[in-house]
Amino acid sequence: MSEHEDRLARAGEFVLGLLDAEARAAAERDLQTDAEFRDAVDRFRRHLSEIDATADADAVPTGMWPEIARRIAAMPQDARSDRPMAVTPANQNSPAWRRAGLAASLLAGLGLGYLAGGWQAGVREPVVLVVLQTAANEPGAVFEAFADNSVRVVPLEDFAVPDGKILQVWTLYDPAVGPVSLGTMTRSEIVTLASAAFPRPSADQLYEITLEPAPGSPTGKPTGPILVKGFAKRPPR
Amino acid sequence: MTQAPPSDDECDRLLGRVRMGDRDALGSLFSTEAGRLIAIARRILRRRELAEEAVQDAFVSAWRAAPSFDASRGRARAWLTRIVRNRALNMLRDDARLDLMRDDELQSFQERGGGATAAYTALGEGNALRACLDQLEPQRRQSILLAYVLGYSHGEIAATLNTPIGTVKAWIRRGVIALQECLS
């Protein structure tokens, strides 16, 4: 299979939603850096969307829009930004990040064992767990994310936070929406970040911590170096 | 359909207003698009209440993300549809899928496959996508439609078509290459 064909195949599988979490994350990175891949994805999406246009409209419950209006009433919009999540020139081709998905799977067991006691004692259970890894492929933090998008952050490394900087926690629940901020931390310590009005956390959802200018990224999107990142796992019930 | 769907231009115009912080414009988009979007989500999620939840979440996401909408990469309606599809697929990949599978009233995979075919025949004879899909071998075409319209995984397509998963993967890779080359 030629490189061109391979690109078309990956674009096709990506648009069809058939890639696994790791391949999907790689494709999302390539969308930011590989113009040919992005064009193939956009073009194939545009063609396939004609199938969506054939759907006959369902009835819409009368309470739906008022509920959406209530949810967005006090919700600010994300700042305009062209800067994608998880792509900076320094790390985009790093093999360490590419290996991180596999290592995160292996480490999930460690994370589960580490946190199991907390669930029994706690009043509520996390929806997903995340083992976040450093660029050196070491576990750097563990997150417990709850249904309301509050997140308990357990740093496993003492991240240096220079003066005028802050640690900012992000998640990517939908590539079309882009990364969203879950909150900031002034230093490397165990904290629970307040709830946020995003969809319930899902398996394979990307989380990361970046270093940003205090009091938080000026653009509303990650701008600084990524300290740790990882994909969510659902604990077995 | 009793009402002509609003034009793509109208959707682009409304999303332009949403980008500027106009919540009423999002309400107008909702009133013209929500019915179709629920139907698209229901093809994937099957249950009406889950489809409605997906669309509701998608409109909240669209509100937040509207400022970063990039008109050079597609139309507003397709962007909105993509957010709904992503949300529905994420809900499927979540363990909600297990609950879905337990319901006796739900149609079997094979029966639902008819829905994917119906979506394709609705494209009409003169449509370019339809023409290119028609050129594919039937099993490749069916695999691609099951994935796109119903959100099936490789394993579910294999079960539906009673075919080894490796064969299905090869069909789809070859099929999407041929389809894109035909469409270009």
Side-chain angles (χ1 to χ4, degrees):
Chain A
M1 193 176 282
S2 72
E3 194 184 332
H4 172 68
E5 285 181 324
D6 186 61
R7 188 182 278 113
L8 290 183
R10 278 212 312 138
E13 290 173 316
F14 178 67
V15 172
L16 294 177
L18 287 172
L19 297 180
D20 63 29
E22 202 172 342
R24 199 160 62 237
E28 278 153 14
R29 282 193 296 271
D30 289 349
L31 279 178
Q32 316 289 350
T33 55
D34 179 346
E36 252 183 276
F37 181 69
R38 180 171 58 238
D39 289 347
V41 165
D42 286 351
R43 207 163 36 236
F44 196 44
R45 267 185 185 143
R46 193 166 63 245
H47 283 296
L48 285 183
S49 71
E50 293 176 38
I51 294 177
D52 297 322
T54 66
D56 280 329
D58 274 5
V60 180
T62 50
M64 247 179 105
W65 172 252
E67 175 61 17
I68 294 166
R70 186 191 64 74
R71 285 172 65 183
I72 67 170
M75 184 183 286
Q77 291 182 299
D78 292 337
R80 214 171 285 203
S81 169
D82 298 326
R83 198 179 182 98
M85 186 179 195
V87 178
T88 58
N91 72 29
Q92 66 194 16
N93 291 316
S94 155
W97 283 126
R98 295 191 185 276
R99 284 197 307 272
L102 174 64
S105 308
L106 300 175
L107 281 159
L110 169 71
L112 287 169
Y114 172 69
L115 292 162
W119 296 346
Q120 282 150 15
V123 291
R124 59 179 190 157
E125 289 188 352
V127 179
V128 294
L129 292 172
V130 196
V131 179
L132 296 95
Q133 295 188 280
T134 65
N137 222 11
E138 298 290 327
V142 177
F143 288 3
E144 296 172 285
F146 298 88
D148 64 357
N149 281 287
S150 59
V151 177
R152 182 163 180 263
V153 177
V154 182
L156 303 175
E157 279 201 7
D158 190 12
F159 301 112
V161 185
D163 280 350
K165 298 284 188 181
I166 202 163
L167 302 173
Q168 193 154 7
V169 178
W170 307 89
T171 189
L172 183 70
Y173 64 84
D174 184 341
V177 174
V180 292
S181 175
L182 292 168
T184 57
M185 305 157 58
T186 52
R187 57 198 172 95
S188 197
E189 62 184 345
I190 297 178
V191 292
T192 299
L193 302 171
S195 62
F198 303 128
R200 186 182 167 92
S202 296
D204 301 330
Q205 190 167 319
L206 180 63
Y207 286 80
E208 65 184 29
I209 301 177
T210 61
L211 192 63
E212 299 289 342
S217 163
T219 68
K221 298 288 178 192
T223 64
I226 300 164
L227 301 176
V228 284
K229 64 187 264 187
F231 293 97
K233 298 272 175 194
R234 294 187 68 84
R237 293 279 185 248
Chain B
M1 218 178 291
T2 55
Q3 180 192 343
S7 68
D8 264 335
D9 288 345
E10 175 67 4
C11 288
D12 288 348
R13 199 181 59 76
L14 285 169
L15 188 59
R17 283 171 51 199
V18 177
R19 290 185 73 185
M20 308 305 292
D22 183 343
R23 290 176 170 81
D24 292 340
L26 189 69
S28 301
L29 264 181
F30 179 87
S31 65
T32 60
E33 298 299 307
R36 189 182 58 88
L37 293 170
I38 291 171
I40 290 165
R42 197 156 58 88
R43 283 171 168 176
I44 295 171
L45 292 165
R46 285 178 269 179
R47 289 222 174 113
R48 171 173 290 280
E49 68 272 20
L50 291 179
E52 289 167 2
E53 182 188 329
V55 172
Q56 193 162 317
D57 286 348
F59 270 86
V60 173
S61 297
W63 165 252
R64 290 196 70 107
S68 50
F69 168 68
D70 180 356
S72 71
R73 292 191 53 198
R75 309 298 298 260
R77 172 180 283 145
W79 180 79
L80 201 53
T81 306
R82 183 148 58 88
I83 295 178
V84 170
R85 286 182 52 84
N86 283 344
R87 183 69 199 130
L89 289 174
N90 280 339
M91 286 166 72
L92 255 199
R93 291 177 187 133
D94 224 329
D95 67 354
R97 177 177 292 238
L98 300 176
D99 296 328
L100 287 170
M101 300 303 292
R102 275 199 292 269
D103 194 323
D104 295 337
E105 292 175 14
L106 293 171
Q107 298 160 295
S108 71
F109 279 150
Q110 277 85 356
E111 288 167 22
R112 291 190 65 224
T117 304
Y120 141 76
T121 50
L123 284 171
E125 295 286 350
N127 180 282
L129 176 62
R130 168 77 185 269
C132 287
L133 281 166
D134 278 339
Q135 286 184 20
L136 296 180
E137 288 165 36
Q139 287 167 312
R140 294 184 182 182
R141 175 170 66 235
Q142 185 69 359
S143 300
I144 289 169
L145 289 168
L146 288 169
Y148 187 76
V149 179
L150 304 182
Y152 278 16
S153 64
H154 285 123
E156 288 163 340
I157 296 167
T160 303
L161 301 180
N162 198 20
T163 303
I165 194 164
T167 308
V168 165
K169 286 184 178 177
W171 281 346
I172 289 175
R173 281 181 74 81
R174 286 291 163 196
V176 294
I177 292 168
L179 190 53
Q180 289 171 90
E181 283 176 344
C182 173
L183 287 164
S184 69

